[in-house]
Amino acid sequence: MIGPSYLSVSQVNSLKTCPRQYVFKHILKEREFKNKNLLVGTAFHKMLEGKDVEAELKELPAEYPHRAVLKKMKRVYEDATAQLPKVIAREVNFRVDSGQFEIMGYVDAVRVGDDGWYLGEEKTAAVIDENKKNMLAFDLQICTYMYSQAAIARQVGVDKPFKGLIYTATTKPSEKVKKTETLEEFAARATVETRVWKVEDTPPERIKLIVETEFNWAQKTKQEIEATWISSGENLDAIPSNSHSCFKFNTPCNYFEKCYGTKPVVKGPSE
C-alpha cells in the first residue's frame, strides 16, 4: 500500500509537518478529525457553491447558532465581493505534469472580468492577519495555483489574459451567545468581515522556483517514506515522528491518538 501517484499541496504540508501524518492521511487514508473551525470553513464553502451543509451542521455544537452565522458570513462576503470580476466556476480540479512530478488539486474559484480572469482563494479565519497580505505571493498554495493557471484556463474554457489571484478572508464571529438573546439577535450583533486582497504581477520565475523546489523535495521525501513503509511490512514504528508537531497552538494533531495509542492531555493556559 502506497500513497497517491500525484503530488498535492496537502501532501507537501503533511510531509513537512510529520512523516507519520503523511502515512495516516495519504497512505492509510484515516479519517481526519474535523474541529469546529474546519467544519465552519467547509460549510461556508459549500454554501457559496449552493450545496447542502446539513452534514457539517450536525457535527457542530447544537448550542451555537451556526446556521444563522453562516448566512451572515455569506451575506457579508457577497457584499464585499459584489464589484469583483464574476465567479464563473467553483472548486475547479486541475492536474499538471511538470515532467519531474505531477500536481493535482483544486482552486476555490475562477473569476472573469472585462480585462481578464483571476484565480480565487477563499478563506475563513478567526481574525484577519494584515501581515498575511505581504506573504501571499510566497504562499505555496497560491504559487501552485498560478503555476497551474494555463491548465485551469483550459479546464473552464477561459481565453482572456490571466491577471492574478483574488484572495478573500471572511471572519468567523468570536462572540458567545447570551442566555437572554435569541439566535437571530446573536447573529445580528455578531462581528463578521470580509477582506479582499489581490496578488498581481508576481514574477513567473519566482513562482516556478518556489513550486519546483518544494515539490521536488516532496517527491524525494515521499518516495523515501513509502519505501520504508513497504520494506518494514507497514510498521508504523519504522516511520519517524516529529514531536514538535504533536501540538500546535495547544491543539493536538488530528492523528495523535492513533500515533501514540493514548488521548492527548491538553493543558490550560495557567497550567
Side-chain angles (χ1 to χ4, degrees):
M1 180 186 295
I2 59 173
S5 59
Y6 60 86
L7 284 167
S8 65
V9 174
S10 175
Q11 289 181 55
V12 176
N13 290 337
S14 290
L15 289 165
K16 283 184 172 182
T17 300
C18 177
R20 288 192 182 184
Q21 186 183 102
Y22 175 81
V23 170
F24 282 121
K25 189 171 183 177
H26 299 287
I27 295 180
L28 296 177
K29 301 188 185 305
E30 294 279 357
R31 186 177 185 273
E32 188 172 9
F33 170 76
K34 293 183 178 181
N35 60 33
K36 183 181 77 172
N37 288 333
L38 186 57
L39 286 166
V40 170
T42 301
F44 178 72
H45 277 89
K46 289 177 73 171
M47 282 190 78
L48 295 182
E49 295 175 65
K51 294 181 179 178
D52 182 71
V53 298
E54 291 303 316
E56 286 71 28
L57 290 172
K58 287 179 181 177
E59 293 190 56
L60 288 164
E63 68 274 11
Y64 189 81
H66 292 99
R67 192 185 305 276
V69 165
L70 282 165
K71 286 182 179 178
K72 181 169 184 176
M73 289 172 64
K74 183 173 183 284
R75 185 171 65 252
V76 170
Y77 162 88
E78 290 174 342
D79 289 344
T81 59
Q83 302 304 315
L84 295 177
K86 182 181 177 181
V87 174
I88 65 161
R90 292 191 180 277
E91 301 295 312
V92 179
N93 293 311
F94 62 87
R95 200 160 188 154
V96 175
D97 189 345
S98 74
Q100 306 169 67
F101 48 79
E102 188 176 33
I103 300 174
M104 186 173 177
Y106 65 87
V107 63
D108 289 337
V110 171
R111 293 179 174 273
V112 177
D114 294 335
D115 60 340
W117 73 280
Y118 291 83
L119 296 161
E121 174 78 327
E122 298 172 334
K123 294 290 188 182
T124 57
V127 294
I128 293 177
D129 182 1
E130 288 293 339
N131 294 322
K132 177 75 174 178
K133 178 181 179 181
N134 299 322
M135 298 304 297
L136 290 177
F138 299 91
D139 182 88
L140 179 59
Q141 182 74 76
I142 288 173
C143 287
T144 301
Y145 291 155
M146 292 189 169
Y147 185 86
S148 310
Q149 55 90 7
I152 295 170
R154 289 194 297 271
Q155 177 82 353
V156 297
V158 176
D159 58 2
K160 292 188 176 184
F162 175 62
K163 304 296 288 185
L165 179 139
I166 295 175
Y167 181 98
T168 63
T170 302
T171 58
K172 295 165 280 192
S174 59
E175 298 94 339
K176 294 183 178 180
V177 184
K178 297 178 181 179
K179 293 181 180 179
T180 57
E181 67 183 347
T182 65
L183 301 185
E184 290 73 20
E185 288 172 338
F186 168 76
R189 71 174 177 84
T191 304
V192 175
E193 69 170 317
T194 294
R195 199 69 56 84
V196 179
W197 295 320
K198 285 186 178 181
V199 183
E200 298 175 299
D201 303 319
T202 304
E205 298 80 9
R206 187 170 73 197
I207 293 172
K208 187 174 186 292
L209 177 63
I210 291 172
V211 171
E212 294 188 356
T213 298
E214 294 278 9
F215 278 92
N216 276 320
W217 170 85
Q219 178 98 307
K220 179 176 180 292
T221 305
K222 165 182 156 75
Q223 290 171 349
E224 291 172 352
I225 292 173
E226 291 179 352
T228 300
W229 178 250
I230 292 171
S231 65
S232 68
E234 301 185 1
N235 180 6
L236 186 64
D237 290 336
I239 306 298
S241 64
N242 178 9
S243 59
H244 296 292
S245 298
C246 292
F247 287 85
K248 188 175 182 181
F249 302 114
N250 208 34
T251 300
C253 168
N254 290 334
Y255 304 104
F256 186 99
E257 188 171 354
K258 292 182 179 296
C259 191
Y260 291 102
T262 184
K263 291 184 177 181
V265 177
V266 181
K267 296 182 178 181
S270 61
E271 296 181 76

